[in-house]
Amino acid sequence: VPRSFLTSKEQFHAFLAARAAPGSEEAPREDEDEEPRSSEQPEPPAKRARPEEPPAEGGGGEEAGEAGREEPEPRERRRARGQNKSRPCMKPKQYESSRLCPSVTQGCAEKCYFGSRCRFLHDLDEYMAVKPADLGQTCVLFATFGKCGYGVTCRFAQAHLGDGYQNVVNTELAKQWEGKSLVRNNLPKELQHRLRKKKFSFEKADEYLRRLGKPQGDRGQGNETSGSSTEAQEVPNCTAPEEGPRDAPAHPVLPEEGGDPKPAALESPCATDASEGSPIKTMGPVTDEDIIKLRLCEKKKLEIQGKLYLAPLTTCGNLPFRRICKRFGADVTCGEMAVCTNLLQGQSSEWALLKRHHTEDVFGVQLEGAFPDTMTKCAELLNQTIEVDFVDINVGCPIDLVYKKGGGCALMTRSNKFEQIVRGMNSVLDVPLTVKIRTGVQEKVNVAHKIIPRIREWGASMVTLHGRSREQRYTKVADWDYIAECAKIASPMPLFGNGDILSYEDANRAMQTGVSGIMIARQVTVGALIKPWIFTEIKEQRHWDISSSERLDVLKDFTNYGLEHWGSDTQGVEKTRKFLLEWLSFLCRYIPVGLLEHLPQKINERPPYYMGRDYLETLMASQNVDDWIKISELLLGPVPAGFTFLPKHKANSYR
């Protein structure tokens, strides 16, 4: 950054405090010593140099005492990495004490399930007396779809409320969207009930696990079963049919208790028992697809070579953010990492990670798990209930919560379980199966080149390799030379590279290494989270010096997409605000191209304090939570009383 834009931390915050509004022309005060109240606490502290010299000899007792007193200090540094696990989280009742019963919003107040026991309001006049003021005069749902399903609870209700609080409908606009499904992969109540009552039929998965013959024994028995699983999986090849019908229905008819409506053709490996009656009603002539099972060589191919792949990003890789990246040119999108056990339990919050917008033409989901039974069953569940183009296994997650349970990167050291998971999921899926891995677990011990050929043999359609180990997390530089070696080893299976794609120049160099494509993820300094327009830069082969007003327009689009997805009532507005603030905790690390002395920006370069070319650009560069909240108030109105925010992820990447 040129010296003319550099500043100190005190001057930076004094400038923002002096100019509280974007239109203000007041100059910063030189003598202002008082800083914003919370600027010190939420802002990440400066990194301290790690002492490399050993302590001097002598005075062992005193030095030991000093070492004991200084012990809490490294703990604070450790807590400043990873996640804010005990961060405050506001619940809906904290910012909206009096809520209107959903039955009133839907126009059927007399049919409230809870009756007199309902804890929500049923009187419209009483609700309108305590409802917070509207946030604007334009409702994005009413303007886009001709109807707002939130009625009087909408925080922009003045745009579509008539006399007597009646919800106005734009009939012509509403007809254009009638019958169209904008978001797919929802969780039906009937399916959720079956999952919770454990009435869902996992026919293919159970058959695979029976053939696996995996006893609940020690490690030695697990090694024996690895061979049997390989032998069992050699049956479904290009000459022998694989279990299961070719086309699974989108919403399968599941057996009730005590009944067995499944035809024999679905239960037996042989498709010759077609004489038994089937309760599934069909129309038209019987074709080969009805009686001949899908063979491995006939499985749908994943043709995404050379395309830009948006990585699954925890917390921030939500549906509105993926729509932003899709608009900027992302070709392939993937949902956030979903835990297979939570999906099998029918948790609504976990199933929300699988939702797919209709603009996502190539979309996949990523699963995390540690055992073949749960992963195989989850794969069969998703194969029958949602629409995806591929399923990805997360073998690259470095966090302790996942690693210590045997998932994520730990699978790279548990080859038997890894093989059983890949083979099992591949046997029950009708769509391609992909795997995302790292170079290894330890920093200087690469093992990916040994695992990739085996993954290809197990039946995976593609591998994505992140050029860092688990110990490196998101620090150091990605090893693209090693990725190039692994790409040669993986051939003919496609291999996508991931790590340090900061500009179109880096993308061009990455493609010259022989990879089939590149995955763009968070990239601590620049990347999809900090710079979603990187997809446009790569496709147009240019550096985009995007202005602060254009960046604000991107944030406006995100809030509109968020209100469409999470709702325009108070709860939806605050959820949109929460994910906007999570994203702003990454966006603040972006340095405009026009302020850089050299292009492109390098990873692990901590940006200094600098003044932007206008107030808004300076405000967006702040790492102060209060300034992020100020940006959210420009888009979503004032925050509720007592509002607090602490980002989920902390940066530990400037090492």
Side-chain angles (χ1 to χ4, degrees):
V1 178
R3 284 192 172 184
S4 58
F5 291 98
L6 294 179
T7 184
S8 65
K9 176 180 177 180
E10 291 74 17
Q11 292 175 346
F12 179 86
H13 289 300
F15 174 77
L16 292 178
R19 300 186 59 180
S24 175
E25 297 296 332
E26 184 181 351
R29 287 171 287 180
E30 298 286 343
D31 56 345
E32 185 173 2
D33 296 327
E34 185 178 357
E35 294 187 4
R37 184 180 306 171
S38 59
S39 61
E40 294 294 338
Q41 179 64 24
E43 185 170 319
K47 296 288 182 179
R48 300 177 181 177
R50 180 176 296 178
E52 297 182 358
E53 296 182 0
E57 298 181 0
E62 295 180 0
E63 290 182 1
E66 291 179 2
R69 287 193 297 269
E70 292 178 359
E71 191 173 350
E73 191 170 339
R75 287 180 189 167
E76 291 183 4
R77 280 205 301 272
R78 283 199 296 271
R79 280 199 298 268
R81 298 169 57 184
Q83 295 186 5
N84 287 307
K85 296 182 180 179
S86 58
R87 63 196 186 115
C89 181
M90 292 190 69
K91 297 182 179 180
K93 63 181 180 181
Q94 293 180 262
Y95 50 72
E96 191 179 24
S97 57
S98 301
R99 299 174 62 187
L100 190 66
C101 180
S103 63
V104 180
T105 309
Q106 298 166 5
C108 51
E110 65 281 356
K111 298 181 181 180
C112 180
Y113 177 79
F114 297 97
S116 59
R117 296 180 293 109
C118 183
R119 58 189 177 90
F120 297 130
L121 299 177
H122 288 76
D123 188 351
L124 277 176
D125 293 327
E126 183 181 357
Y127 172 76
M128 294 301 292
V130 297
K131 178 190 173 184
D134 282 355
L135 300 176
Q137 300 179 354
T138 303
C139 174
V140 62
L141 295 177
F142 180 73
T144 305
F145 307 108
K147 180 181 179 181
C148 178
Y150 295 91
V152 294
T153 62
C154 176
R155 296 299 302 276
F156 309 87
Q158 57 182 306
H160 50 77
L161 280 189
D163 297 334
Y165 306 127
Q166 292 295 320
N167 200 22
V168 178
V169 178
N170 186 339
T171 309
E172 294 183 1
L173 187 57
K175 282 184 178 179
Q176 298 178 11
W177 295 96
E178 189 174 356
K180 294 182 179 179
S181 177
L182 301 180
V183 178
R184 290 171 279 179
N185 299 346
N186 295 299
L187 175 63
K189 287 292 183 183
E190 186 258 349
L191 175 60
Q192 186 180 43
H193 177 76
R194 288 183 177 275
L195 291 173
R196 288 177 174 176
K197 297 297 182 180
K198 297 184 179 180
K199 293 181 180 179
F200 193 91
S201 176
F202 299 100
E203 204 166 83
K204 295 182 183 179
D206 290 339
E207 176 62 24
Y208 169 77
L209 294 173
R210 281 195 297 269
R211 284 186 292 148
L212 194 63
K214 174 181 174 298
Q216 300 295 330
D218 57 6
R219 193 170 187 179
Q221 292 174 331
N223 291 334
E224 294 175 4
T225 59
S226 175
S228 63
S229 67
T230 306
E231 185 177 349
Q233 285 301 315
E234 290 175 0
V235 176
N237 51 28
C238 291
T239 57
E242 194 175 349
E243 283 199 329
R246 173 167 181 163
D247 294 322
H251 299 285
V253 181
L254 300 176
E256 299 291 341
E257 279 189 338
D260 190 13
K262 293 288 182 182
L266 298 182
E267 298 178 353
S268 173
C270 301
T272 58
D273 298 332
S275 58
E276 296 187 19
S278 171
I280 301 178
K281 305 299 180 183
T282 59
M283 292 182 63
V286 177
T287 63
D288 290 344
E289 293 182 358
D290 297 320
I291 57 176
I292 300 178
K293 301 174 182 64
L294 182 69
R295 295 182 298 178
L296 188 62
C297 61
E298 296 175 336
K299 186 173 288 191
K300 180 182 176 182
K301 302 296 183 183
L302 187 62
E303 301 291 344
I304 61 173
Q305 285 83 351
K307 295 186 177 182
L308 298 180
Y309 184 175
L310 172 65
L313 303 170
T314 308
T315 305
C316 294
N318 46 63
L319 187 144
F321 176 77
R322 296 199 304 269
R323 289 182 65 182
I324 293 289
C325 293
K326 193 69 183 173
R327 196 189 70 185
F328 279 119
D331 299 313
V332 184
T333 55
C334 186
E336 302 176 57
M337 180 189 75
V339 181
C340 65
T341 51
N342 295 343
L343 294 175
L344 291 172
Q345 294 170 3
Q347 293 186 13
S348 300
S349 59
E350 206 73 20
W351 276 80
L353 306 178
L354 310 179
K355 290 185 178 181
R356 173 184 188 174
H357 196 260
H358 70 96
T359 57
E360 298 180 273
D361 48 353
V362 183
F363 175 77
V365 295
Q366 187 182 70
L367 299 181
E368 182 277 322
F371 301 99
D373 53 349
T374 53
M375 289 290 279
T376 306
K377 288 181 178 180
C378 188
E380 183 177 4
L381 170 65
L382 300 187
N383 190 63
Q384 299 184 44
T385 55
I386 67 173
E387 298 179 21
V388 292
D389 298 297
F390 63 93
V391 175
D392 185 65
I393 305 176
N394 188 327
V395 195
C397 184
I399 65 174
D400 294 338
L401 182 66
V402 173
Y403 181 80
K404 290 181 179 179
K405 292 182 179 180
C409 283
L411 283 176
M412 298 185 70
T413 62
R414 304 169 68 223
S415 57
N416 291 341
K417 289 289 189 294
F418 193 7
E419 176 184 1
Q420 293 166 6
I421 288 173
V422 175
R423 290 188 181 276
M425 294 180 68
N426 195 45
S427 67
V428 301
L429 285 173
D430 294 336
V431 295
L433 179 68
T434 65
V435 181
K436 186 175 187 292
I437 63 175
R438 284 178 176 253
T439 59
V441 175
Q442 299 176 348
E443 184 170 349
K444 297 181 180 180
V445 183
N446 295 333
V447 297
H449 63 283
K450 301 177 182 178
I451 299 176
I452 288 175
R454 301 166 71 181
I455 295 176
R456 182 184 59 216
E457 295 174 2
W458 299 339
S461 300
M462 190 187 81
V463 169
T464 302
L465 177 59
H466 186 175
R468 297 182 180 89
S469 64
R470 176 184 180 264
E471 288 185 353
Q472 288 177 297
R473 299 291 290 265
Y474 303 103
T475 63
K476 304 295 178 64
V477 185
D479 191 350
W480 275 93
D481 293 334
Y482 182 66
I483 294 177
E485 295 177 12
C486 292
K488 297 177 183 178
I489 296 173
S491 182
M493 179 182 64
L495 184 141
F496 270 53
N498 173 227
D500 300 355
I501 306 298
L502 314 179
S503 65
Y504 76 89
E505 298 164 342
D506 294 329
N508 294 342
R509 282 192 292 268
M511 290 301 297
Q512 293 173 1
T513 60
V515 296
S516 302
I518 53 176
M519 173 186 279
I520 300 177
R522 65 183 71 244
Q523 308 303 355
V524 281
T525 52
V526 190
L529 280 180
I530 285 84
K531 182 179 168 183
W533 49 91
I534 188 175
F535 299 101
T536 303
E537 292 187 347
I538 293 175
K539 290 194 170 182
E540 297 181 1
Q541 295 289 293
R542 67 182 178 96
H543 293 290
W544 185 0
D545 187 12
I546 187 170
S547 65
S548 59
S549 59
E550 290 176 312
R551 292 164 63 189
L552 186 63
D553 289 339
V554 174
L555 297 178
K556 287 180 181 177
D557 291 336
F558 177 84
T559 56
N560 289 337
Y561 295 158
L563 295 174
E564 287 183 24
H565 185 56
W566 292 302
S568 58
D569 59 345
T570 302
Q571 189 171 351
V573 168
E574 295 310 316
K575 182 167 283 191
T576 302
R577 189 193 306 274
K578 168 193 168 185
F579 285 105
L580 173 64
L581 292 171
E582 292 283 2
W583 188 21
L584 286 172
S585 69
F586 287 93
L587 278 174
C588 66
R589 306 175 202 172
Y590 171 71
I591 301 180
V593 171
L595 300 184
L596 292 175
E597 289 185 333
H598 59 84
L599 292 172
Q601 182 180 348
K602 298 298 182 182
I603 197 166
N604 290 348
E605 288 182 348
R606 177 185 285 272
Y609 283 94
Y610 66 91
M611 306 293 282
R613 292 166 290 189
D614 54 41
Y615 172 81
L616 187 58
E617 194 167 76
T618 307
L619 183 65
M620 289 181 172
S622 174
Q623 298 186 23
N624 189 347
V625 173
D626 290 343
D627 293 324
W628 304 341
I629 294 176
K630 191 181 300 182
I631 295 174
S632 77
E633 289 180 327
L634 295 176
L635 304 169
L636 293 169
V639 297
F643 180 83
T644 57
F645 173 76
L646 196 63
K648 180 178 179 181
H649 294 281
K650 298 176 181 177
N652 70 326
S653 305
Y654 298 111
R655 184 183 293 175

